[in-house]
Amino acid sequence: MPFTRNTETIAGEGQGATKKRLVGIVSVVFLVALWQIGAAVVGKEIILPSPARVLAEFISLAPTGEFLTAVLSTFLRGLEAFAASCIVGALAGFASGRSETVRAALAPLLTTIRATPVLALILLALFWFPSGFVPIFSAFLMAFPVMAASAMQGARAAPPELLEMARLFKVPRAKVFFELRLPAASPYFAAGARASLGLSWKVVVAGEVLAQPRLAIGSGLQSSRVLLDTPRVFAWALAAILLCGLTEWIFGRIVTRGAADGI
Amino acid sequence: MAYSLIAIRRSFGDLLVLDGVDIEIPPSQLLVILGPSGCGKTTLLKIVAGLDPAFEGRREGFERARFSFVFQDHRLLPWKSAVENALFALSGSGLSRAEALTRIERYVGLSGLGGHADRPIRELSGGMRQRASLVRAFAMPADFLLLDEAFQSVDLKRKRELMGVFLDLRAMERNVSILVTHDPAEALWLADRVIVLSDRPARVIDAFDVDTPRERREPGTPEVATLERRLNAALLGL
């Protein structure tokens, strides 16, 4: 009997996954349909272009050198911001988790950054940095507290009874750090990195809209807006969405494989 | 060399836990400290290990002693294998990695872990985890092996198996093992010497050697039955 019940559960889970996917597809179709209806009702491309019109614009834009280099530049900016926020966030967060003094010292900075509106930060950065660096700096500053908050939790994730075991066996501190504290913290690092990745893209593109570097998705968005080319604004936005989705998917794969390897 | 605890008293605030405990420990003995739950057995074990300096009384002969531990909750790193867990613990022993591995392999061979020795702990059953914990404890070079209710969380059959593994591993290592438990049957199965503690505040209320060879220690055999009655009487305060 238990065996039968097990197979039923597995079959049930399989059905659940299929059902979930189906609901997802229906939901996308519904949203596109809503968009299509909205576009038909509005009837003005400059206000709301139809999905087909945006797709056509995207397909015509995609192979151009201007578009590809812009996407690549934005991608590199996002990657730099993400890498910097991960490294600094992990170090700052882990240190705060381990030491009350570090935590007290960093708390005002983190709270201030968290409360600062993204746009205020970008506008200030415009005074300080060249246009290509403004998006990176802003995204880094917005994303690293997210990573820091996760890393701080991670620093406290090692079970106290395992730490006591290590202490009783007189395991050297470095060994405890690398083989107990870090592995116990890794799920928190992964969650923090995922959250700062998503945030990095959004702030990078917002920074580009205002800073107008020569090659950037954000600059493409802004110049299309100035030309009142709404379908093109949508097409650039679509590029940003795809970039974000793709990197999150790749990141998810890496994390899943890491977990399977027992990191 | 003998080790001794003399007139050990320990209080936590107003709560007196140990009230003048005397224990003499000859070398290479398997000593079982039996007492009711919460009587201060773990506290006593901590004092033996030198982890609780806030006691009154004398602790003699332990100056250079090295300790190893078996916990009730195995306390293994779930993402590491049994061998890696033992290596992790032995990194504090001063042995080289190769020496440590040699010791670990020897105990793995006796433990019945077999092919499970290289699988992550989180994939192992409770019984296999306790074996891994025993391998780690024995592989650690130590004068004392301290076991805190180490066989409590498993059913009778597994408990017998694990105690068998424990005795097999112990045959290799002539250190002092001190096991605390509240189970008279476990005490009589394992002990060279049994020390019985009273309810809190704990004092030694009985102590005797168990000379019966292990093959004649099945429950119900006359010698064991007599000793078991004696232990039950002491624990029940009759």
Side-chain angles (χ1 to χ4, degrees):
Chain A
M1 255 336 258
F3 181 72
T4 326
R5 197 178 297 160
N6 268 342
T7 47
E8 274 171 14
T9 317
I10 291 162
E13 276 166 12
Q15 281 168 8
T18 317
K19 194 178 163 193
K20 235 188 233 170
R21 192 165 300 166
L22 204 68
V23 170
I25 292 169
V26 169
S27 164
V28 169
V29 170
F30 177 74
L31 285 174
V32 173
L34 207 63
W35 177 5
Q36 176 65 53
I37 293 166
V41 169
V42 172
K44 281 183 188 144
E45 198 171 76
I46 192 171
I47 307 291
L48 186 62
S50 72
R53 177 74 184 81
V54 169
L55 192 65
E57 184 68 32
F58 183 77
I59 289 169
S60 77
L61 188 63
T64 61
E66 177 212 10
F67 177 82
L68 290 176
T69 46
V71 169
L72 184 68
S73 307
T74 297
F75 175 71
L76 290 177
R77 282 188 200 103
L79 217 58
E80 284 169 39
F82 171 63
S85 58
C86 276
I87 294 167
V88 176
L91 291 176
F94 207 83
S96 321
R98 298 281 296 123
S99 149
E100 280 301 318
T101 316
V102 176
R103 187 182 181 189
L106 287 181
L109 175 69
L110 292 179
T111 312
T112 311
I113 295 172
R114 238 176 259 139
T116 308
V118 183
L119 286 178
L121 192 68
I122 297 171
L123 290 174
L124 281 173
L126 280 169
F127 290 124
W128 303 333
F129 301 113
S131 61
F133 190 66
V134 169
I136 301 174
F137 173 78
S138 316
F140 159 70
L141 222 53
M142 295 310 292
F144 106 85
V146 175
M147 181 64 180
S150 269
M152 192 160 89
Q153 275 181 290
R156 295 169 182 171
E161 66 275 9
L162 289 183
L163 290 170
E164 191 192 42
M165 177 274 293
R167 197 165 49 79
L168 292 180
F169 282 111
K170 301 193 169 71
V171 177
R173 287 176 70 102
K175 195 116 177 140
V176 174
F177 179 79
F178 285 110
E179 297 188 27
L180 173 49
R181 288 190 191 277
L182 273 191
S186 62
Y188 294 88
F189 285 131
R194 179 178 289 240
S196 37
L197 181 63
L199 194 58
S200 292
W201 291 124
K202 292 192 193 91
V203 182
V204 160
V205 172
E208 288 171 347
V209 167
L210 289 176
Q212 297 276 306
R214 204 167 56 79
L215 295 167
I217 292 180
S219 307
L221 278 168
Q222 176 68 349
S223 59
S224 308
R225 186 193 72 86
V226 171
L227 297 172
L228 302 181
D229 189 347
T230 315
R232 188 162 278 228
V233 172
F234 269 76
W236 280 110
L238 186 59
I241 292 166
L242 289 178
L243 199 59
C244 179
L246 187 70
T247 50
E248 281 190 7
W249 181 76
I250 292 170
F251 182 79
R253 292 295 296 251
I254 294 170
V255 168
T256 316
R257 183 159 318 162
D261 287 348
I263 295 169
Chain B
M1 176 167 95
Y3 306 90
S4 40
L5 298 171
I6 300 157
I8 300 291
R9 283 168 60 90
R10 175 70 166 103
S11 347
F12 294 90
D14 292 337
L15 183 70
L16 182 61
V17 174
L18 300 175
D19 183 18
V21 172
D22 297 296
I23 298 179
E24 190 79 18
I25 313 168
S28 72
Q29 249 206 345
L30 205 174
L31 184 73
V32 175
I33 298 176
L34 182 69
S37 300
C39 79
K41 299 188 294 288
T42 301
T43 305
L44 187 59
L45 214 52
K46 281 188 172 159
I47 290 171
V48 169
L51 297 169
D52 181 359
F55 63 91
E56 297 163 47
R58 300 213 307 280
R59 176 177 173 272
E60 292 180 352
F62 293 91
E63 291 74 19
R64 305 172 78 90
R66 298 163 303 166
F67 296 91
S68 186
F69 305 86
V70 181
F71 309 92
Q72 183 176 4
D73 50 337
H74 54 80
R75 300 198 185 183
L76 298 154
L77 310 186
W79 53 86
K80 284 180 180 285
S81 71
V83 172
E84 290 164 347
N85 264 286
L87 274 175
F88 178 75
L90 263 69
S91 62
S93 69
L95 294 180
S96 75
R97 193 186 149 85
E99 289 167 332
L101 264 178
T102 310
R103 285 184 65 89
I104 293 164
E105 294 299 340
R106 194 189 326 157
Y107 291 109
V108 165
L110 291 169
S111 68
L113 268 172
H116 299 292
D118 294 313
R119 285 173 56 197
I121 293 298
R122 62 163 163 252
E123 293 175 12
L124 302 187
S125 66
M128 288 296 161
R129 289 174 189 188
Q130 272 302 18
R131 280 165 210 254
S133 161
L134 285 172
V135 165
R136 175 180 65 189
F138 277 100
M140 185 80 189
D143 306 296
F144 282 86
L145 176 54
L146 307 181
L147 304 97
D148 190 359
E149 307 265 11
F151 304 111
Q152 289 306 310
S153 52
V154 289
D155 61 51
L156 185 63
K157 184 161 176 281
R158 293 227 185 80
K159 189 166 171 168
R160 276 298 178 86
E161 280 172 19
L162 278 174
M163 291 195 296
V165 171
F166 169 66
L167 291 171
D168 288 346
L169 298 187
R170 193 176 142 67
M172 304 276 299
E173 195 77 17
R174 299 312 296 164
N175 57 19
V176 178
S177 296
I178 302 181
L179 171 81
V180 305
T181 180
H182 57 256
D183 179 358
E186 190 178 312
L188 290 175
W189 179 259
L190 290 172
D192 296 330
R193 183 172 175 76
V194 180
I195 289 174
V196 188
L197 296 182
S198 67
D199 257 321
R200 206 173 49 219
R203 306 180 61 97
V204 177
I205 48 173
D206 198 0
F208 54 84
D209 291 329
V210 184
D211 301 321
T212 316
R214 207 150 269 118
E215 56 274 15
R216 285 197 277 126
R217 289 198 189 183
E218 283 301 327
T221 56
E223 289 115 314
V224 171
T226 312
L227 290 175
E228 198 161 7
R229 270 197 299 280
R230 180 170 168 180
L231 286 183
N232 287 341
L235 286 174
L236 294 169
L238 302 175

